[in-house]
Amino acid sequence: MSNRSGGGTKKEASKMKIKPFPPTMDPKTEEASWMLLKNAIREIQKKNNSGLSFEELYRNAYTLVLHKQGKRLYTGVSEVVKEHLQNEVRADVIDAMHNNFLETLCEAWADHQTAMVMIRDILMYMDRVYVPQHEQHPVYDMGLVLFKEEVIHCEVIRDYLVATLLEMIAKERHGEVVNRVAIRNVCHMLIVLGIGNREVYEDDFEILFLRESSEFYKAESQKFLADNSASVYIRKVEARITEEAERATRYLDASTEERITKVVEDELIKAHMHTIVEMENSGVVQMLKTNKKGDLHCMYKLFTRVPDGGLKTIIDCLSSFLRDTGKALVTEEEEDAGGKNAILFVQVAMVITVVVIIYSYVFVCRDC
């Protein structure tokens, strides 16, 4: 009895032996798995993914990586995505250059992102095992790099894109209505394509935008100064700074606000500080004489934006005015044959009053 049972146990043990996992994959099976994945990726890119079994696709990708075919899988996926971007997406965007260009580009970008999320989910095991071991981009990031290289950095698209964005911003500066949503989507796309940095956004748009803005405001400052008084000029400058800050917040990258604000400050304030404060019949002295508190406060706020000499320019102008006024009073007293000290005393008191006003409107303005 015991012998029979012992013999049966040995037979059962021999039957339950687990065969080792085959180290290599049959070439036909390998090719079939890859073709299944390749065709599925193409269907995803065509938005025909409803009939796909993501479980089956994941299993095939897993098996390929497990059998040391990660390189073939990664390279193959990259080639399929690249081919689609070159033959389909790029062509569609170029065709739309003179008709709904930004809208077409944004739609292509959104479709590409959606497709890459699905492809990433299928290749999750490759992302987890093969990618870090071989220091490759994760699948989704690989898709971003390819979209940047094959679509955005296609020379004709790149040039037309920045020209379109700058033209739309120029139109808005002149009071026209533009598609802010499209601009915002494109700017966000450029940020995302940087994969953690602002390099693409800066190189493909922001640097050119700031350069063009500098030229625009340099020309506008000349026109503003020629056509307006100091009071009107500083109000226009204040409005432009507000507009550019709002533009950056609403549809450019938020980090652009500080940069574009500095451009406006340099071209509209810093480059013309002496001209503004010394403007005849409307500069800072005239503002004091006519008690224009609001204009003085506005000028103070604008000039404090220029740390290296902004406020000093106002003070120097007022100091010069005080010196000239004092000299005139002394000269007048010397020419007065009667030497009426009482009158001189009153006039000096008036000068002191002006000094008090200066401190009130210039220095105290910071607390307004």
Side-chain angles (χ1 to χ4, degrees):
M1 241 348 241
S2 59
N3 288 339
R4 217 176 298 129
S5 336
T9 305
K10 285 179 184 177
K11 285 181 183 178
E12 286 171 12
S14 63
K15 286 180 184 178
M16 290 173 63
K17 262 186 190 174
I18 299 174
K19 293 181 180 180
F21 199 82
T24 58
M25 197 173 184
D26 176 71
K28 288 185 179 180
T29 306
E30 177 189 320
E31 183 65 19
S33 294
W34 163 239
M35 289 306 298
L36 177 70
L37 290 165
K38 180 179 179 180
N39 292 330
I41 291 171
R42 286 177 171 169
E43 291 302 307
I44 289 171
Q45 290 170 329
K46 295 174 185 176
K47 304 180 186 178
N48 295 330
N49 54 288
S50 57
L52 299 176
S53 168
F54 280 82
E55 184 181 348
E56 180 186 12
L57 295 170
Y58 177 88
R59 188 168 60 250
N60 277 270
Y62 170 85
T63 304
L64 284 171
V65 175
L66 201 62
H67 285 89
K68 310 300 181 185
Q69 296 303 311
K71 182 177 180 180
R72 178 184 181 180
L73 180 58
Y74 189 90
T75 304
V77 171
S78 177
E79 288 173 353
V80 173
V81 173
K82 184 177 181 178
E83 180 185 334
H84 173 71
L85 292 172
Q86 288 177 337
N87 299 337
E88 303 294 334
V89 177
R90 184 197 293 171
D92 290 344
V93 173
I94 291 175
D95 287 344
M97 275 189 173
H98 300 289
N99 184 27
N100 296 324
F101 172 69
L102 292 188
E103 291 80 358
T104 301
L105 177 61
C106 290
E107 183 179 355
W109 165 241
D111 290 344
H112 180 69
Q113 285 180 294
T114 301
M116 288 310 304
V117 168
M118 295 181 184
I119 295 168
R120 177 196 64 191
D121 291 347
I122 292 169
L123 304 174
M124 198 178 299
Y125 185 72
M126 183 179 74
D127 252 355
R128 194 164 64 245
V129 176
Y130 174 81
V131 165
Q133 288 178 354
H134 296 81
E135 299 182 343
Q136 299 290 334
H137 285 296
V139 171
Y140 185 82
D141 289 355
M142 173 240 287
L144 299 183
V145 171
L146 290 172
F147 192 90
K148 177 188 68 177
E149 292 174 350
E150 303 303 328
V151 180
I152 300 303
H153 284 177
C154 167
E155 187 174 355
V156 63
I157 294 175
R158 186 178 190 173
D159 292 346
Y160 193 79
L161 175 59
V162 69
T164 300
L165 293 173
L166 294 180
E167 182 184 9
M168 293 176 75
I169 292 170
K171 285 181 177 179
E172 189 175 55
R173 282 173 176 160
H174 286 100
E176 296 184 42
V177 177
V178 298
N179 188 344
R180 289 181 168 185
V181 174
I183 301 175
R184 182 176 67 239
N185 289 341
V186 169
C187 289
H188 182 258
M189 174 191 71
L190 295 176
I191 289 291
V192 173
L193 289 175
I195 311 179
N197 63 64
R198 303 177 76 254
E199 186 177 339
V200 178
Y201 175 80
E202 286 182 359
D203 293 347
D204 291 3
F205 170 69
E206 188 183 61
I207 291 173
L208 296 169
F209 165 66
L210 295 176
R211 187 183 304 158
E212 186 276 338
S213 297
S214 178
E215 292 301 317
F216 172 81
Y217 284 116
K218 187 178 295 182
E220 186 169 79
S221 68
Q222 298 294 338
K223 187 175 185 304
F224 278 179
L225 287 170
D227 297 344
N228 300 286
S229 66
S231 295
V232 175
Y233 182 85
I234 59 176
R235 296 296 181 181
K236 286 180 177 288
V237 173
E238 189 176 45
R240 280 305 197 189
I241 291 173
T242 301
E243 287 172 16
E244 292 297 342
E246 288 178 353
R247 179 175 292 111
T249 303
R250 287 176 180 174
Y251 61 78
L252 304 181
D253 184 61
S255 59
T256 302
E257 180 180 348
E258 182 179 349
R259 294 169 172 83
I260 185 59
T261 299
K262 187 176 187 309
V263 168
V264 180
E265 291 168 352
D266 287 348
E267 298 300 339
L268 296 187
I269 305 173
K270 188 175 181 179
H272 305 288
M273 291 189 297
H274 290 285
T275 303
I276 299 166
V277 299
E278 295 170 5
M279 198 173 286
E280 191 175 357
N281 299 322
S282 66
V284 66
V285 171
Q286 185 65 21
M287 291 177 187
L288 275 171
K289 287 179 178 179
T290 54
N291 200 28
K292 290 188 175 180
K293 299 179 183 179
D295 290 344
L296 285 166
H297 180 49
C298 180
M299 183 178 285
Y300 175 85
K301 285 197 303 179
L302 292 179
F303 277 56
T304 51
R305 288 176 169 272
V306 182
D308 50 337
L311 192 56
K312 185 177 183 300
T313 303
I314 297 177
I315 295 171
D316 288 347
C317 180
L318 295 174
S319 297
S320 177
F321 166 68
L322 287 175
R323 284 195 301 272
D324 292 344
T325 303
K327 285 178 183 177
L329 290 174
V330 171
T331 302
E332 182 180 336
E333 174 59 22
E334 289 175 348
E335 292 174 353
D336 186 347
K340 298 178 180 178
N341 292 327
I343 296 175
L344 178 59
F345 176 80
V346 172
Q347 290 173 328
V348 171
M350 289 174 64
V351 174
I352 295 172
T353 303
V354 174
V355 174
V356 172
I357 293 173
I358 291 172
Y359 273 90
S360 298
Y361 287 146
V362 179
F363 293 101
V364 181
C365 266
R366 71 187 67 187
D367 300 321
C368 294

